Structures are given as structure tokens and as C-alpha cells.
Amino acid sequence: MSETTTAAEVAAPHRYTAALAADIEARWQDFWEEQGTYEAPNPKGDLAGDAELVARPKKFIMDMFPYPSGAGLHVGHPLGFIATDVYARHQRMTGHNVLHTLGFDAFGLPAEQYAVQTGTHPRVSTEANIVNMRRQLRRLGLGHDQRRSVETIDPAYYKWTQWIFLQIFNSWYDPEADAARPIDTLVAQFEAGTRQTPDGRSWSELSDVERANVLGEYRLAYASDAPVNWCPGLGTVLANEEVTADGRSERGNYPVFKAKLRQWNMRITAYADRLLRDLDALDWPDAIKLQQRNWIGRSEGARVDFPVGDEKITVFTTRQDTLFGATYMVLAPEHPLIAGAEDGDGTGSLVPDAWPEGTHEVWTGGHATPAEAVAAYRKQAASKSDVERQAEAKDKTGVFTGVHATNPVSGEQVPVFIADYVLMGYGTGAIMAVPAHDTRDFAFARAFELPMRCVVEPTDGRDTDPATWDDAFASYDAKIVNSAGSDISLDGLGVTEAKAKITEWLAARGIGEGTVNYRLRDWLFSRQRYWGEPFPIVYDEAGVAHALPESMLPLELPEVEDYSPRTFDADDADTQPETPLSRNEDWVNVTLDLGDGPKRYRRETNTMPNWAGSCWYELRYLDPTNADKLVDPDVEQYWMGPREGQPHGGVDLYVGGAEHAVLHLLYARFWSKVLHDLGHVSSAEPFHKLYNQGMIQAYVYRDSRGIAVPAAEVEEHDGGVFYYEGGKVSRLLGKMGKSLKNAVTPDEICAEYGADTLRLYEMAMGPLDVSRPWDTRAVVGQYRLLQRLWRNVVDEATGEVTVVDTEPDDATLRALHKAIDGVAQDMANLRFNTAIAKVTELNNHLTKTGGPVSRTVAERLVLLIAPLAPHIAEELWRRLGHTGSVVHADFPVADPAYVVDETVTCVVQIKGKVKARLEVAPSISDADLEAAALAEPAVVAALNGAGIRKVIVRAPKLVNIVPA
């Protein structure tokens, strides 16, 4: 006996241990890979296969795209991966053709930042990370079809990302069709004269630049000079969704400023209504649907024009019924009628040279001229994020522009201000201020001593003089007052009637119309980074953008000496991006023949955002080897096409974190709709059912300095006091991560207990959609379950199978079939923790019964646990004499006769008091139960000869007797 061999191991050499688990798991992982066990056949093409399997009902199951981090996985990462694997295995065993695979979303900032720090090319570090992550995932026994795995950094993959971009670039949204159409159909309308150009000239009279500018106003992917979120600390611009509520970058936590730059955008706003409407048919959590609805932010109201000299200021309002109460106007500091006034470039023509006579001193901000006041305020506003500007600041700031507008209903002259609480990105970038009935307008009016007019009759007891109020009065359930003009009166009307009347009046005079507005902004699609997909766009000498032909795709990312974008002082808003690709002049400046002879062009030097590759990866999983098409239409129809219960088609189950509610999910829905409109796919939605898993948390221990210490080295003393190296530390439940020194890797758990134990523990910790704390000490519970399961089939001393071919007793049959029934329902509904509880209960029943287990029971027990612990199940299935893989065995079906309890307890009451309990059959009739209750001696004694007025029977559990 060696020093490391225990007496128990000598006595039980075939016990299920970590070493035996490691051997079993490695062998079966190799077997599954060699046999292609998890390969799902397509109906046609390179991945076509078994026609019988194709003919089964399909099930497409997906996890959200993981990013291959250099730190590798901790035990929190694979929670969702294990859950989808368990579900996919159950679906295979219930007769489905299951597509389940996993790829890697590998472009983005982490690899690029690592490259900047170390000089390692992003591709080298990313591919190394992918190799390590594949190893860790394989060790967990995940049943992925590896033929279908993709990486967004593979040129064969991003060729199609670029191709999709060009489909979007070469499309416009046709309101009449309520769908995207090829841009050529729009050009044909201009050429035929059925659609007028902006200035009325014929299409043939326009230059190439003018035509490009006209089409740019319609294209679904377009470049424009627009306010963007500029992050000097990262050296790149960010989408609104990538800016935190504190006005800082989601990655890196740097300040974000407004700047005006030429950038690529996606016209996602064209799809706002459809993105809202189609949510109803999706099987998504209500909370995620609500987040998307709020982000899109649909609101109905009216557009109203306020004349200002020869110009007009257009506002969007949802309360057009309060138009008579508008006593001033506010423009966003970036509004085109104001912007540029300080530069003398003509765009700020509204701003006069001098203050009008009698201008209130508080309106000027202490400046000598309107131009100086506007310039100073615009610079101040540029340093704030949109979120900061919309916050309910105690002190309202702004400045008078020096001009007045005309209220179109009252004819009154109202002063026009600029203030940072109005955003250019929402509505028209201008508001009519109704201070008596809007909180922010009220605060601004008080700060700048502006008039207020009550036009909605207060219902809270206050009078109608706003000068006496402490705050605004807002109500949708009140009468309109003080709202009569020369040819219209809203007085006495309710809000709804007043809205309709004033909207009709505005439209009849051509100074407004009813309209719908959205909070959703177009998607900023440019990044000033290296590690991303290059745009398949070149510019001619006139600056006109041209799409590369499909034959030139993929446009591969070139080598550069310096991967880093030029970053700046994080607080310096007066900076401009400089892209890494712009430094490779040989790549940027090229001679190409785009169909009209060789010409010189300049490539786009921005790259696509990291979201691009994840907008469509579900489609590439379907047909990953297709070099001629994005996806074969028949293959896409088979896996994702619309069907009963899924009117928009899509993936059958998509599992991932709730943090992607308005980023990835909204973007992917947009791309799917464009591709559907253009006839490339049959599914108008990418993901039919969405499930958000919770998070595995861990305790974070911090010393007196607040610095995290290694959780594994913390000691717990009596009374729940924790120490590290002799010093007291605090404990708080939080995220798991390397930086918090509390990460536990799956490799550690697999080495100590085996992958099946890890899988069981993560699924048993609690409901899948609830966050839960990791406790390494509790893992052993699932390890013991597997050891008991093993002992019920295999002799630990000899390694021989111990099952017998005798029939089980009735109690065991009932335990078995109840477990089968419960586990089947739990598996189908992703309730894996309760499924494990039922398997444990059955296993414990067999253990307590003693003696050898019936083969029929043992085999069904192995099948029940197979989706959860596939390695030990595969091993036991083979030892039980089966030659086929347990992966494709049929899941057990419960016998209804054994699922129902043999007897149930019926309570017999007299005057509401329990007098007897009867054991009766679950199927007993009301009449038989009444007869049995009345014949029960305890009941006869309790009645003591009294007559019976009524007997209330609720078979099989209750009889209530009411004496006469």
C-alpha cells in the first residue's frame, strides 16, 4: 500500500472518485468527438445527414456569444452553458433534431487593449484565449456540434458581416411597403420623376455628389456629421447604449462628451414601430420587453411650427392641448439655428448682433452680446453627457438667444432660450415651454423670472394663478382653461378632445400636424479602433462613398505597427479621433476597378463596433461552410422559419444575461428585419424564446484598507468573524472575478470532484433565473449523489454490475414513475434544481431499500440523470449492456397508473370538526366516499343517532357532515 492509498480505496477500488470521474469523462468526451455524437444534420448542403433525424421536430438552442477572455472561465461563466446543454440533451432524448453549438465573439476592446500593453497582436492573444476556453468548455462535457462553431475574427465569417452591411447600405425604408427595399428602387423613382428631388431638379441634373447626398438621406446605413458621444480616454466614439447613467464610458469608466464628427449610422429608427409591435409575439421575460419598449420610447403628439422672422422653430409635443400656455421656448445648445453663431459661418443666423431693448439682465448670463452668451453656454453644455443634462438639477441654467418666436395660437411673442436640459437627439431639439404644467419648465421659469399661464384647471384645490404655486400642476384628467383665440377655443374640453381639436386646427393651417416621436436614436456604427471589421466602403476623389463588390469580400484587416487609437487626456473634450488604420497608407489609398475602370480611392479607416458580428451569428450556425450564401434559404427555413406558435420564426431557446436587453438584442432584431425584408431569410425575429439566467455570486473579503484578499485563504472563526493572515476582514456577497480574488475555476472543481459534479451543483443551486452564492463546501453534496448512484449499479469492490432482472415492488415502481413524471416536466420548463431533487429522492429510495436494484429501474434512473450528468450516465449505460450512446436513447415515459398515489387521506368533519380520517382510492366516487364516511365507526359514534341535514363531498379528500 502506497503512502497516498487509503484503506477505503483498497477495500473499494471501483468506488466513484475524482480520479475515476476524470477517466470516465475524458474517455467519453473523446468518444463523442470521434463519433460526431452531437452533430445535427441539415436538410441539405454540406451538413446534410440522416433523413430520419431531419424529419423529426427541430429544436435550435443557443447561448449568448461568449467573449474569449484571457483570464479564462470561472465557475460563474458556464451556468447558462450547462443549462442549455441539459435542456438540449433532454430534447434529443424526447425525439428532436437538436442544433446546439457555441462560437466566439472575438472582436472588441479587451484584446486590443492587451495588444497595446504587451505588443501582442490581438489575433494571437484572442486565438490563444479561444483555445483555452474550448478546452475548459470541452471538459464540462457540453454537447456542441463543433462543425458549426464560428469566430467573428475569421475572415470567412466577417466576409458575411461586411456583406450584410452592404445590404443595409444599399437599402432604404419604404413607408408604403413598411419594409426595406433595394436602393435601386428609390433611384428608379427619382429617374422616372415619380419622386421629387429636394430642390425639384431632375435626377439627371444632379452631380454625383448631389445624388449621393440625396440617397444618404434614405439609406439604412449612412454617414453623417452629427453629435456623437466622444470619449477621449478611449479615443473612440460610443453609441448611446454604451454610455452609463453617469455620463461615462461603459468600458473604462471615462468621461464622455458631445462632439460633432462624421460617422456611420444605422437607421434603426425606421424600424421603431415594428420593433415595438413584434415584441408581443415573442416569448421573452416581461422585464426585457419593458426595457425595449422604454428604450424605443414611442409617444404620440403633434409637430408645431413657431415663426421666428423668416425662419421657424419646429417643436414636437405630446401636450398640444397646452399650446396657449407656452410662454417661452428652449432650444438644445446644438440646434442648427443656433450652432455656429459664434463662428460666423451663417448657420446660427437667428442670433442677433445685440440684445433687444429691455432684455432682462438675468437672461444674458452677464455677456455683452447674444453671440458671446450663446458661445459660452454651448461650450459649457458640451462638457456634460446627455444623462447629466437630463438629471433633475437643483439649479437650471440657460441663456436668452436674443430672439422671440410667435406662439401660433395666441400670436404672443415668446423669448427663445438655449438650455442643456433640452437634447438635440430627442424630438426636434426644441420645446415649447409650458411652465405652469411641466416641472422642469416651472423651475426654469422661476430661475429666469419668466411668465406662466395656467391652461389646465387644477383639481388639487390650488387657484389658477401660477405665481402662488410651489410646483407645476400636470394632469391628463382635467379641463382646459384660458385657451381661447380669435378662431379657436379649447376652454371646457378634456385633454383628449382638446388634443384632437388643436391638431386638426394646426393641420388645416399648415403649421403643424399629428405625429409620432421616438426616444430611439439611430445606431452609431463607427469605432476609431483597430480590432474590428473593416468597412467594405471606399471614397472617390469627390468624397462619394462606394460599396465594394461582393467579389472583393472579405476586406481583411491589415497589419499595422501600432494598434492603439490615439487617446487623450480623459477630461479634454477639445480633441478629435485618429484611427489606427489611417496610419497604413498603402492599405488606405488604393487603385480599384469598381466597374468603370481603375480609379484611385480612399478606404474607410473606422471599423465596425463589437456588436456587428453578434447581430447575425445565429444564421451562420445554420450553414457555416456555405461560401456562396449567407445561409441557404431552405436550411434557414428548416431551423428558424415561422411556424405555429412562432409567427416571426427565430431560435427556439436563447439563454443569456439580462444586461443585453437594449444593446445586442435590439441590434440583432433590427438586422433580422432588414434581411427578412430583402428576402434573405424567412424569420423576421432572431430569437423566439429568451431566458435570462441569474448570476453565480461569491463572497468578497476586504482588509482594513478596503483591498480584496484571496477568498480561499480566509479563515472563519467562531461567531462568523473572518481573518486573513491574522487580520480581521469584512465579507460581502458580490460578483466573482479575478480582480476580486474570489474566482473559482471549473478546472479546480473538475479536478477535485469531476465535471458531472460541477454540472449538478450549478444546476441544483436554485432556480436558473435567480442569482445565487457559490459555496465550494456544498459541492460535495452532488458528488455524494453520484457516488450513491454508482453504488446502486456497480459493486465498488469488484466493478461488476449488480442489477437484477426481477420486477421491482409497487413502492419502487411508484417512486420511479413519479420521478419520471416530475423530472420530465422540470426539464421541459428549465427547472433543473427541482429535477435534481426528484432524481435524488428516487436514488435515496433505492439506497434505503437495500439489496440489488431492478434492471428496469436502474436503466431508467440512468436515463433520468443523463442530461444532467452525461459522463457517468454514458458509462453506466454501457456497463448495463447497451451499445448505443445514452445521448440518443429515449427519455423514460411515466406510467400514469403509478404516478397517481395508491391511496389518499380523506378528512371527515362534523360541524367543521375532524372526526375521522379514511385512506381511500384517488378515483373514488362522491357516492362511495359518502357511504364510507357514514359507515366509519368514529363518525357513527360522533353522530350518536342524530339525523343528517346535509353531506358535502369533495372526493377524494373531504367529507363534511351537517347534522339535522
Side-chain angles (χ1 to χ4, degrees):
M1 183 187 303
S2 73
E3 294 181 7
T4 58
T5 305
T6 66
E9 288 171 332
V10 172
H14 297 280
R15 174 172 294 172
Y16 184 81
T17 62
L20 180 57
D23 173 66
I24 290 171
E25 288 164 5
R27 280 192 290 106
W28 284 110
Q29 287 161 17
D30 289 343
F31 173 85
W32 293 330
E33 189 171 307
E34 291 163 5
Q35 298 297 314
T37 300
Y38 303 109
E39 293 177 0
N42 279 345
K44 61 185 291 192
D46 293 348
L47 302 186
D50 185 346
E52 183 182 345
L53 188 51
V54 170
R56 293 181 179 183
K58 63 87 188 180
K59 195 68 76 169
F60 185 6
I61 300 163
M62 270 181 59
D63 302 275
M64 286 192 182
F65 234 179
Y67 183 83
S69 165
L73 297 176
H74 61 62
V75 292
H77 290 127
L79 175 66
F81 303 156
I82 295 170
T84 53
D85 186 61
V86 173
Y87 182 75
R89 289 175 180 277
H90 177 254
Q91 292 298 305
R92 286 190 193 93
M93 296 176 75
T94 52
H96 293 81
N97 182 18
V98 176
L99 192 167
H100 189 213
T101 191
L102 194 72
F104 299 92
D105 191 10
F107 276 126
L109 278 173
E112 185 176 287
Q113 289 174 327
Y114 184 76
V116 171
Q117 294 164 7
T118 64
T120 306
H121 193 287
R123 182 174 294 281
V124 173
S125 60
T126 302
E127 289 180 345
N129 295 344
I130 289 173
V131 168
N132 182 53
M133 194 166 174
R134 284 193 193 280
R135 176 194 63 78
Q136 289 185 298
L137 293 171
R138 185 181 190 272
R139 192 171 184 180
L140 296 174
L142 301 179
H144 294 146
D145 185 343
Q146 295 295 347
R147 304 171 305 163
R148 297 175 181 268
S149 184
V150 297
E151 301 165 10
T152 56
I153 60 174
D154 181 356
Y157 180 89
Y158 70 70
K159 164 188 175 179
W160 295 105
T161 307
Q162 293 171 336
W163 181 87
I164 295 172
F165 173 83
L166 293 180
Q167 305 311 301
I168 300 172
F169 173 72
N170 285 318
S171 302
W172 66 295
Y173 201 82
D174 183 352
E176 293 184 7
D178 196 20
R181 299 178 63 197
I183 199 73
D184 289 346
T185 61
L186 180 66
V187 173
Q189 292 180 16
F190 282 124
E191 288 177 337
T194 55
R195 182 181 292 270
Q196 292 296 308
T197 61
D199 64 4
R201 287 185 293 161
S202 68
W203 189 249
S204 60
E205 293 180 85
L206 303 184
S207 67
D208 289 344
V209 173
E210 289 171 326
R211 291 179 183 179
N213 289 338
V214 170
L215 295 180
E217 296 298 315
Y218 291 86
R219 291 186 187 273
L220 288 178
Y222 64 95
S224 70
D225 293 313
V228 296
N229 300 305
W230 165 235
C231 181
L234 289 176
T236 189
V237 298
L238 301 172
N240 290 340
E241 295 87 345
E242 295 172 303
V243 181
T244 69
D246 299 322
R248 304 179 76 86
S249 61
E250 186 180 48
R251 184 173 293 278
N253 197 37
Y254 293 108
V256 176
F257 304 95
K258 279 296 180 187
K260 198 167 187 179
L261 298 171
R262 189 161 187 82
Q263 301 292 312
W264 282 97
N265 297 273
M266 293 277 182
R267 208 179 299 275
I268 191 174
T269 50
Y271 281 82
D273 263 334
R274 283 173 57 186
L275 289 168
L276 276 175
R277 187 170 65 235
D278 290 353
L279 278 172
D280 293 338
L282 300 182
D283 186 3
W284 285 19
D286 289 340
I288 300 297
K289 288 185 178 183
L290 180 61
Q291 284 186 65
Q292 290 220 348
R293 288 190 177 105
N294 289 343
W295 192 261
I296 295 167
R298 185 182 191 276
S299 53
E300 294 186 11
R303 176 186 60 76
V304 186
D305 294 334
F306 284 69
V308 185
D310 294 332
E311 300 279 0
K312 64 182 179 182
I313 297 174
T314 301
V315 303
F316 169 81
T317 177
T318 58
R319 290 301 304 267
Q320 60 268 40
D321 55 302
T322 65
L323 194 49
F324 279 93
T327 58
Y328 65 97
M329 300 189 75
V330 184
L331 307 182
E334 305 85 5
H335 196 284
L337 290 174
I338 296 299
E342 66 273 28
D343 303 326
D345 66 359
T347 55
S349 56
L350 276 191
V351 180
D353 295 331
W355 295 115
E357 187 176 347
T359 296
H360 201 313
E361 186 176 345
V362 74
W363 296 2
T364 68
H367 295 281
T369 67
E372 290 176 14
V374 167
Y377 190 80
R378 277 169 42 77
K379 186 172 184 180
Q380 172 188 326
S383 66
K384 297 182 182 180
S385 71
D386 284 1
V387 175
E388 289 175 304
R389 287 168 56 172
Q390 288 186 297
E392 293 296 333
K394 184 176 180 181
D395 298 320
K396 292 297 178 186
T397 64
V399 69
F400 180 41
T401 63
V403 298
H404 289 77
T406 304
N407 184 318
V409 291
S410 68
E412 294 179 356
Q413 294 296 292
V414 296
V416 180
F417 287 75
I418 59 171
D420 59 14
Y421 76 91
V422 177
L423 303 179
M424 195 62 223
Y426 180 77
T428 64
I431 67 163
M432 62 175 211
V434 185
H437 308 293
D438 180 272
T439 301
R440 291 186 305 171
D441 294 347
F442 184 94
F444 191 90
R446 279 286 162 89
F448 288 87
E449 301 176 20
L450 289 158
M452 304 187 201
R453 179 180 294 109
C454 173
V455 293
V456 181
E457 187 174 42
T459 55
D460 58 1
R462 70 177 79 183
D463 59 29
T464 57
D465 181 6
T468 65
W469 298 356
D470 294 324
D471 54 20
F473 171 76
S475 174
Y476 281 88
D477 187 22
K479 297 293 184 183
I480 303 299
V481 296
N482 300 325
S483 296
S486 59
D487 58 351
I488 185 172
S489 174
L490 306 180
D491 289 346
L493 297 178
V495 170
T496 301
E497 297 87 349
K499 280 186 175 185
K501 185 172 182 179
I502 192 66
T503 301
E504 183 181 351
W505 184 88
L506 291 166
R509 284 152 183 77
I511 55 174
E513 62 180 349
T515 187
V516 175
N517 200 53
Y518 299 90
R519 179 179 180 269
L520 180 68
R521 299 295 92 200
D522 280 345
W523 173 16
L524 180 68
F525 200 70
S526 298
R527 296 296 181 273
Q528 291 68 47
R529 313 295 306 195
Y530 169 70
W531 195 232
E533 298 92 339
F535 281 92
I537 293 289
V538 293
Y539 300 92
D540 62 24
E541 293 178 351
V544 174
H546 297 265
L548 291 182
E550 187 176 333
S551 61
M552 292 186 181
L553 302 182
L555 172 60
E556 296 198 31
L557 196 60
E559 297 299 319
V560 295
E561 293 183 4
D562 182 4
Y563 313 118
S564 59
R566 185 182 177 193
T567 57
F568 304 88
D569 181 333
D571 296 309
D572 187 357
D574 296 325
T575 48
Q576 290 281 321
E578 179 188 294
T579 61
L581 290 183
S582 65
R583 301 175 196 136
N584 188 331
E585 293 190 9
D586 291 341
W587 182 83
V588 173
N589 299 301
V590 291
T591 299
L592 301 173
D593 185 351
L594 300 184
D596 53 355
K599 292 182 180 179
R600 293 291 290 172
Y601 294 95
R602 175 178 54 83
R603 295 195 191 277
E604 172 62 71
T605 61
N606 288 312
T607 53
M608 297 186 200
N610 61 299
W611 308 103
S614 62
C615 278
W616 70 281
Y617 70 119
E618 72 283 354
L619 296 171
R620 199 58 182 169
Y621 282 160
L622 306 182
D623 204 9
T625 61
N626 195 330
D628 300 320
K629 291 181 180 178
L630 176 79
V631 58
D632 185 285
D634 292 336
V635 172
E636 188 273 336
Q637 174 71 48
Y638 173 81
W639 289 110
M640 288 184 65
R643 62 204 66 219
E644 187 177 354
Q646 299 182 16
H648 303 304
V651 173
D652 296 289
L653 176 65
Y654 192 38
V655 174
E659 66 271 16
H660 296 296
V662 296
L663 284 160
H664 158 62
L665 289 174
L666 199 61
Y667 297 158
R669 295 183 64 213
F670 167 54
W671 278 35
S672 285
K673 292 186 183 304
V674 177
L675 291 171
H676 173 264
D677 289 353
L678 298 177
H680 299 300
V681 297
S682 65
S683 49
E685 286 284 343
F687 315 115
H688 172 68
K689 181 177 176 63
L690 174 70
Y691 192 97
N692 297 131
Q693 87 272 15
M695 180 188 298
I696 289 183
Q697 300 170 303
Y699 287 110
V700 183
Y701 298 89
R702 297 186 184 275
D703 61 21
S704 59
R705 301 166 297 168
I707 296 174
V709 301
E713 299 175 30
V714 172
E715 297 178 356
E716 182 178 1
H717 292 200
D718 293 339
V721 182
F722 302 93
Y723 290 87
Y724 170 70
E725 294 184 344
K728 190 175 178 181
V729 295
S730 64
R731 184 179 81 161
L732 189 68
L733 194 61
K735 283 187 175 183
M736 181 180 286
K738 187 175 180 181
S739 64
L740 297 173
K741 299 182 182 178
N742 63 353
V744 178
T745 70
D747 292 341
E748 295 173 55
I749 303 302
C750 289
E752 189 167 356
Y753 298 106
D756 280 341
T757 295
L758 173 62
R759 290 171 59 105
L760 278 173
Y761 176 63
E762 294 216 1
M763 295 299 96
M765 291 171 75
L768 182 59
D769 59 349
V770 175
S771 294
R772 71 294 302 271
W774 176 267
D775 183 359
T776 300
R777 294 169 299 181
V779 177
V780 70
Q782 300 307 316
Y783 181 56
R784 289 173 181 152
L785 166 62
L786 294 180
Q787 289 182 314
R788 290 192 295 271
L789 168 67
W790 183 265
R791 280 196 298 271
N792 279 328
V793 179
V794 176
D795 187 298
E796 291 184 334
T798 66
E800 297 297 318
V801 171
T802 59
V803 301
V804 294
D805 291 325
T806 58
E807 285 298 310
D809 58 35
D810 273 4
T812 298
L813 281 172
R814 291 190 179 282
L816 171 65
H817 286 281
K818 280 187 175 181
I820 292 172
D821 182 61
V823 171
Q825 293 183 51
D826 290 341
M827 288 282 186
N829 292 287
L830 307 176
R831 297 192 298 260
F832 305 128
N833 60 318
T834 53
I836 292 171
K838 292 177 176 70
V839 170
T840 302
E841 188 178 347
L842 173 61
N843 197 51
N844 289 344
H845 170 86
L846 299 177
T847 302
K848 291 174 184 175
T849 301
V853 176
S854 166
R855 172 178 292 277
T856 185
V857 177
E859 289 185 344
R860 291 172 181 172
L861 174 59
V862 168
L863 292 171
L864 284 181
I865 206 168
L868 292 153
H871 306 92
I872 192 173
E874 193 78 90
E875 180 74 13
L876 292 175
W877 192 246
R878 183 59 59 95
R879 291 190 182 216
L880 285 165
H882 298 277
T883 56
S885 170
V886 74
V887 170
H888 294 290
D890 291 336
F891 200 77
V893 177
D895 184 338
Y898 290 105
V899 172
V900 179
D901 290 331
E902 187 173 12
T903 63
V904 295
T905 301
C906 174
V907 173
V908 183
Q909 298 177 334
I910 298 176
K911 292 184 178 180
K913 294 183 178 180
V914 178
K915 296 299 180 180
R917 287 183 171 85
L918 309 177
E919 293 299 316
V920 300
S923 58
I924 192 170
S925 67
D926 284 1
D928 288 346
L929 184 57
E930 179 179 338
L934 293 176
E936 173 66 23
V939 172
V940 172
L943 286 170
N944 194 25
I948 298 173
R949 181 157 60 89
K950 184 191 294 186
V951 178
I952 302 168
V953 181
R954 297 286 184 269
K957 293 188 175 182
L958 176 68
V959 176
N960 193 9
I961 301 171
V962 182

